[in-house]
Amino acid sequence: MSRLFRLFAFLSGFCYIFASPEVCTNSLIPGAKGDQGDYGEQGEEGKLGKNGPPGLAGVPGEPGLKGEVGPSGKMGPIGEKGDKGAKGFDGPVGIKGQAGATCDCGRYRKVVGQLDENLGKLRNTVKFVKNVVLGLKETEDRYYLLVKEPKKFREASMNCKLRGGALAMPKTNNINRLMADYISQAGLTRVYVGAQAQSKGTDGTGSYIYADSTPLREFAVWSQEEQLYSTSSPATNVSCVELLNTGTWNKVVCETPLFFICEFPKSRRRGRGGAAASAL
């Protein structure tokens, strides 16, 4: 308790001292106004403030009126043609072009020459096949092939038809001689040819015809034994015709198996070699 009293007394005395007018007068009365001080340094730039609200939009103005199009003027008269101008200077020489390719005509001539040579060899080969391998004989318009297969007359005739031809018909002396030589060169004595007796007529006689049904009137080479009977036939079954290597004809029984000669026309459409293909 005494301690609180002492603290209160100390504080009261302290307040009394500082509340004295003399003390307050010397300490608290301001002096005379001093001179203006220097300006201080400029401070740092402050932060930007927020954007203010946008202003009101202005009212758009009205568009102006479009002006009228003026009338087009008339075209003036065409002026007279002027005089030809003076010749200009020659231009610079152009760059030299590349050399063109040379014609390899020699090589083409060589190819053509080789083709001609091959064609000649082919012709010789065809000729060899016709004359040696096949043994063909020919005239201007026909080929003749000797078939060394013994057959009866009817079978021989059918075989020639299947090959594209017919039994050979010696209608002229030249053809008959060619066929006779053909037989001799083959080492044969006789073959069938395309001629036989047709059926007897009402008068009991018969006549011979070729394979194409034409009669034997203009040419016939009967042997001496057959000359007396060349225009008649006792029976069609024994009245076929064979050609001998001497060039004469004899009658023969149609059932006798003999070799025979076929003939083939040279087709113009397929060329000279067309019939030879059929003969194979």
Side-chain angles (χ1 to χ4, degrees):
M1 185 72 179
S2 60
R3 185 180 292 181
L4 292 174
F5 179 79
R6 289 176 184 174
L7 181 60
F8 180 76
F10 177 77
L11 293 175
S12 299
F14 182 80
C15 291
Y16 176 80
I17 293 172
F18 282 94
S20 175
E22 185 177 355
V23 174
C24 292
T25 302
N26 293 334
S27 302
L28 300 176
I29 296 174
K33 184 177 181 180
D35 296 332
Q36 185 176 357
D38 297 332
Y39 290 100
E41 296 180 358
Q42 185 175 357
E44 297 179 357
E45 185 177 357
K47 297 181 179 179
L48 294 176
K50 297 181 179 179
N51 294 331
L56 298 177
V59 179
E62 296 181 357
L65 299 176
K66 185 177 181 180
E68 297 180 356
V69 179
S72 58
K74 295 182 179 180
M75 183 181 294
I78 299 175
E80 297 180 357
K81 184 176 181 180
D83 298 334
K84 184 176 181 180
K87 182 179 180 180
F89 297 104
D90 294 335
V93 178
I95 300 173
K96 184 177 181 180
Q98 298 180 355
T102 58
C103 176
D104 194 3
C105 300
R107 183 166 64 91
Y108 292 117
R109 292 193 190 99
K110 183 177 180 180
V111 172
V112 173
Q114 187 64 40
L115 290 175
D116 290 340
E117 182 179 351
N118 294 339
L119 186 58
K121 291 180 180 179
L122 181 59
R123 291 195 185 100
N124 293 335
T125 301
V126 172
K127 186 177 181 180
F128 175 80
V129 171
K130 289 192 302 180
N131 298 333
V132 179
V133 179
L134 296 178
L136 287 175
K137 299 295 181 181
E138 63 179 306
T139 60
E140 185 177 352
D141 58 350
R142 293 182 186 278
Y143 292 104
Y144 295 92
L145 174 65
L146 174 60
V147 181
K148 297 180 181 180
E149 298 176 11
K151 294 183 181 297
K152 300 177 183 180
F153 182 85
R154 185 179 296 274
E155 294 172 349
S157 178
M158 182 60 65
N159 186 278
C160 289
K161 289 181 180 179
L162 292 176
R163 292 171 182 267
L167 272 174
M169 295 170 278
K171 293 185 177 182
T172 65
N173 185 60
N174 291 338
I175 295 176
N176 190 78
R177 188 69 261 168
L178 180 145
M179 294 171 64
D181 293 341
Y182 198 0
I183 298 171
S184 297
Q185 293 170 6
L188 304 176
T189 57
R190 59 178 185 162
V191 295
Y192 274 129
V193 291
Q196 67 178 135
Q198 65 178 354
S199 301
K200 292 182 179 182
T202 55
D203 56 354
T205 61
S207 60
Y208 283 84
I209 58 174
Y210 287 113
D212 59 1
S213 300
T214 57
L216 273 68
R217 293 179 179 176
E218 297 180 359
F219 178 78
V221 193
W222 295 107
S223 63
Q224 294 180 356
E225 293 80 2
E226 301 292 349
Q227 285 180 1
L228 297 176
Y229 308 100
S230 60
T231 58
S232 63
S233 175
T236 56
N237 190 45
V238 294
S239 300
C240 293
V241 177
E242 63 179 3
L243 172 64
L244 305 180
N245 58 3
T246 58
T248 56
W249 301 357
N250 274 341
K251 295 178 184 177
V252 65
V253 177
C254 297
E255 297 298 317
T256 304
L258 293 176
F259 294 158
F260 53 96
I261 297 178
C262 298
E263 68 174 38
F264 306 92
K266 292 182 178 179
S267 174
R268 293 181 179 177
R269 180 167 57 93
R270 293 181 297 176
R272 296 179 61 86
S278 301
L280 297 176

